[in-house]
Amino acid sequence: MASDFARLMKQDFSDLEAAVKVWRGLSTTTDSLTDRHRRQVTGPLHQSWKGDDADAALFYLEDVESRIGVVETEAMAIAEVLDTTRFWMEQAQTDLRNAVRRAEQDGFDVDDEGWVSDRTTSDLPRQDPDAQQLIAQRNRLLTEHRAAMDDALTAARKASDDGAKALGELNGDILTDPLSHDAAAESARDVENAMKAVGVQAPQIPSDDPKAAAEWWKALSPEERRAYTTLYPKRIGATDGLPTDVRDDANRTALGQELNLIQEGNWDEGFPGDSDETVNKRLDNLLMLNNRLEASDSAPEGKELYLLGYDSKDDGRAIIAMGNPDTAAHTGILVPGTNTEMSGVDGQLTRIDRLQSSAAKQADGESVAMITWIGYDAPEFKPTDPGSVATRDRAEDAAPDLRQFVAGTHAAHDGSPSHTTVLGHSYGTTVVGAAAAGGEGLGADDVVAVGSPGMTVDRASDLQMDPEHVWIGTADDDAVANNTSDYTLGRDPSLGGFGGNNIRIDTHGHSGYWDEGSRSLGNQGAIIAGKPPAEAPKRGSELPPEGYIVPGL
């Protein structure tokens, strides 16, 4: 058997390169199969098939879907392990060949087994002091060359051993074991261990800078993008500035892994220290979000959902787009208010669905995307204890995240920036106001506030944008806006003196602003589409003069 020296000197890594390509191809193929299965099988069945038989069949089909997802993840992990091992083995081979070349240049002989000898000193008289000095010098140099070769061989052995250990973590038995239902969670653990074994580091994504993150992503090779999305889904899915479809793919993978982890009783690995109550709340949040996404897997073009962010902790957070904001000519971002939690996702999606449809009717054929941004910890209102709903704390905490998210939609857009409208409702208007007034502004083309208890500022001009693009809507009988503004959250923006524009509202109460067929909904849709809405006079002491005709009424 050839020595390690001889094998490394002559090693051809082309077969390993080919294997990497095949495993990456398998991962990409299974990713496409998962998407197709979701759109063409489980998605339509969720809409058309109900009952016990449907539940049983969908459980089986979604388990198959999860296992296909495991193939995607582990195939990519295998590709990364092989490629990383190949890289370090090739580096060791280069180091070894260079060490041999330098030894031969210095007059040493290196045989096929890596033994280094010095022919130049073989005939020197051993008793001659000058010869002894030369021999000593040559021996020191010989020792250095042997050490360099040994270091290269040691590096090669380590790379080989690390690669074998990593591949041992990815045994794939969960795909053939019908009694194993923790495939996604186990796969995530195996992949993490495998990456650690070969020293693969998590991606170094520019933090808190969507534009830099977008440039970082564009500079990656297609193989690197696919690998990062598959192996580090949580980090990729949470990064503002990356493409919408990439974040959606990554977040759905992460959600499935997290859900599987809790369902199979292994939650302590992912959430050490969480109480049973906290974990049960996480499970409820994940199930609600996952079920709602699955129910829309067969949605028509333009109504498809993209998961741009989520957090299962406490009340839960979810950022979901309807339609792709990366390609839309107009994008609306709705920030909900008090008492919003994961259980309210369905209602928020209904609102952005109606806003999108309204805007699309007025957009002259241009595309419209809507986003519900449940990206902050909304305050809870209790009549006996106003608590956080009466303070600006939650809004100030959320403001930097909202600013960064809006910047991310600009950075990720394909082509010229989308016309962007940020809408707030209830305490969500306080968040929008804080985001616009702080930092370098919100970066929106238009801002809409409906049912506002205050936007943290006293004038529209304090929002760091043209007040003519600030739009306020308040129903006459909105008890929240009428009874809580002008106190701790800022001046009532619908009153004279605030600036901006009031839009015509014909709905009732605090939650009627999206009633189908209403002028309230139509006006918001017009603003999202970049069109002028029907305006209304400011309320309070600075009303227009008698006889003034309100445009559009």
Side-chain angles (χ1 to χ4, degrees):
M1 180 181 292
S3 66
D4 288 348
F5 175 88
R7 291 164 62 190
L8 185 59
M9 284 291 289
K10 299 178 180 179
Q11 182 70 47
D12 180 2
F13 294 100
S14 59
D15 287 348
L16 203 53
E17 290 177 344
V20 170
K21 184 176 181 180
V22 169
W23 282 107
R24 280 181 176 154
L26 175 60
S27 179
T28 301
T29 299
T30 50
D31 178 52
S32 300
L33 290 173
T34 301
D35 288 342
R36 190 188 309 171
H37 192 270
R38 185 182 294 135
R39 291 194 314 270
Q40 299 181 7
V41 181
T42 54
L45 287 177
H46 272 289
Q47 300 293 327
S48 60
W49 198 13
K50 306 295 179 183
D52 292 341
D53 290 343
D55 292 341
L58 284 169
F59 176 84
Y60 171 78
L61 290 171
E62 284 164 359
D63 183 61
V64 171
E65 201 171 274
S66 175
R67 291 170 186 261
I68 295 174
V70 170
V71 176
E72 174 194 351
T73 301
E74 295 209 352
M76 183 59 72
I78 290 172
E80 285 299 297
V81 168
L82 293 177
D83 201 32
T84 302
T85 302
R86 176 202 58 78
F87 172 82
W88 289 117
M89 291 286 289
E90 281 192 334
Q91 183 65 55
Q93 183 186 67
T94 299
D95 291 343
L96 180 62
R97 289 175 174 176
N98 287 339
V100 170
R101 177 178 54 80
R102 286 192 295 268
E104 291 175 341
Q105 288 175 342
D106 286 339
F108 294 98
D109 294 320
V110 183
D111 67 17
D112 291 342
E113 297 302 310
W115 181 254
V116 184
S117 58
D118 187 7
R119 65 178 180 275
T120 64
T121 61
S122 59
D123 296 330
L124 291 177
R126 298 295 171 176
Q127 303 303 317
D128 186 307
D130 292 335
Q132 290 178 351
Q133 184 178 4
L134 178 60
I135 291 171
Q137 291 174 347
R138 294 288 294 177
N139 283 341
R140 284 195 296 271
L141 189 57
L142 182 146
T143 300
E144 291 177 3
H145 287 310
R146 283 179 177 171
M149 295 178 201
D150 287 343
D151 288 345
L153 290 170
T154 298
R157 294 187 188 104
K158 182 179 186 304
S160 178
D161 291 344
D162 289 348
K165 180 181 178 182
L167 291 175
E169 297 285 350
L170 305 167
N171 51 38
D173 61 344
I174 50 179
L175 299 180
T176 56
D177 181 1
L179 299 180
S180 173
H181 298 293
D182 61 346
E186 184 175 339
S187 175
R189 294 193 300 272
D190 291 347
V191 166
E192 182 179 0
N193 292 334
M195 294 302 101
K196 287 180 179 178
V198 290
V200 172
Q201 301 296 317
Q204 301 301 304
I205 307 173
S207 60
D208 303 326
D209 189 343
K211 186 175 181 180
E215 293 301 320
W216 168 81
W217 181 260
K218 291 175 184 176
L220 297 176
S221 67
E223 292 79 13
E224 289 172 321
R225 294 176 188 174
R226 185 70 250 162
Y228 284 151
T229 302
T230 305
L231 302 179
Y232 303 97
K234 190 71 174 177
R235 291 200 61 192
I236 295 298
T239 301
D240 293 320
L242 300 193
T244 289
D245 56 349
V246 170
R247 295 182 68 178
D248 175 66
D249 189 17
N251 279 319
R252 287 181 187 244
T253 297
L255 188 153
Q257 291 174 349
E258 189 174 325
L259 182 59
N260 195 235
L261 187 73
I262 298 175
Q263 287 176 320
E264 296 306 314
N266 300 315
W267 54 267
D268 193 53
E269 297 180 20
F271 314 108
D274 276 8
S275 65
D276 290 348
E277 182 181 358
T278 300
V279 171
N280 287 334
K281 182 61 176 176
R282 283 185 182 274
L283 179 59
D284 289 342
N285 288 335
L286 291 167
L287 286 171
M288 281 186 283
L289 179 58
N290 189 64
N291 291 341
R292 186 58 185 84
L293 291 171
E294 287 180 344
S296 297
D297 280 339
S298 61
E301 184 178 0
K303 291 292 184 180
E304 62 272 21
L305 299 184
Y306 297 90
L307 182 60
L308 301 181
Y310 79 95
D311 188 344
S312 64
K313 188 178 180 181
D314 299 327
D315 292 336
R317 304 183 187 189
I319 304 171
I320 305 173
M322 182 174 289
N324 192 337
D326 293 357
T327 57
H330 304 278
T331 298
I333 303 170
L334 178 62
V335 182
T338 305
N339 293 333
T340 302
E341 53 187 36
M342 193 72 83
S343 60
V345 163
D346 196 56
Q348 295 301 321
L349 290 175
T350 297
R351 290 177 178 180
I352 65 170
D353 181 19
R354 292 177 180 177
L355 286 168
Q356 184 194 42
S357 296
S358 175
K361 292 176 182 177
Q362 306 176 70
D364 300 327
E366 294 181 320
S367 57
V368 178
M370 282 297 307
I371 300 169
T372 177
W373 193 80
I374 313 175
Y376 77 110
D377 185 14
E380 301 78 22
F381 177 74
K382 299 177 182 179
T384 57
D385 180 17
S388 57
V389 76
T391 71
R392 304 180 184 189
D393 295 349
R394 301 281 183 96
E396 296 291 353
D397 288 345
D401 292 335
L402 180 57
R403 283 194 294 268
Q404 181 170 304
F405 179 78
V406 174
T409 64
H410 296 327
H413 198 269
D414 185 11
S416 58
S418 177
H419 168 257
T420 302
T421 303
V422 179
L423 308 92
H425 171 239
S426 189
Y427 194 88
T429 69
T430 312
V431 174
V432 172
E440 297 181 1
L442 190 50
D445 297 292
D446 288 278
V447 161
V448 179
V450 293
S452 178
M455 301 183 72
T456 75
V457 296
D458 292 331
R459 294 176 179 81
S461 57
D462 294 332
L463 299 176
Q464 302 191 79
M465 61 184 298
D466 184 352
E468 289 303 308
H469 288 275
V470 176
W471 308 91
I472 313 299
T474 306
D476 290 338
D477 57 353
D478 186 331
V480 172
N482 293 333
N483 296 322
T484 62
S485 58
D486 278 333
Y487 291 103
T488 57
L489 301 182
R491 184 173 184 174
D492 184 344
S494 67
L495 295 179
F498 182 83
N501 308 282
N502 275 14
I503 59 175
R504 175 66 184 273
I505 299 296
D506 60 349
T507 51
H508 297 283
H510 189 57
S511 301
Y513 297 99
W514 305 275
D515 288 352
E516 290 190 284
S518 68
R519 182 68 64 89
S520 304
L521 178 64
N523 281 335
Q524 292 176 79
I527 296 167
I528 295 167
K531 300 294 180 63
E535 295 183 44
K538 285 288 183 182
R539 303 190 303 168
S541 59
E542 297 184 19
L543 292 173
E546 186 175 354
Y548 176 79
I549 300 176
V550 180
L553 299 185

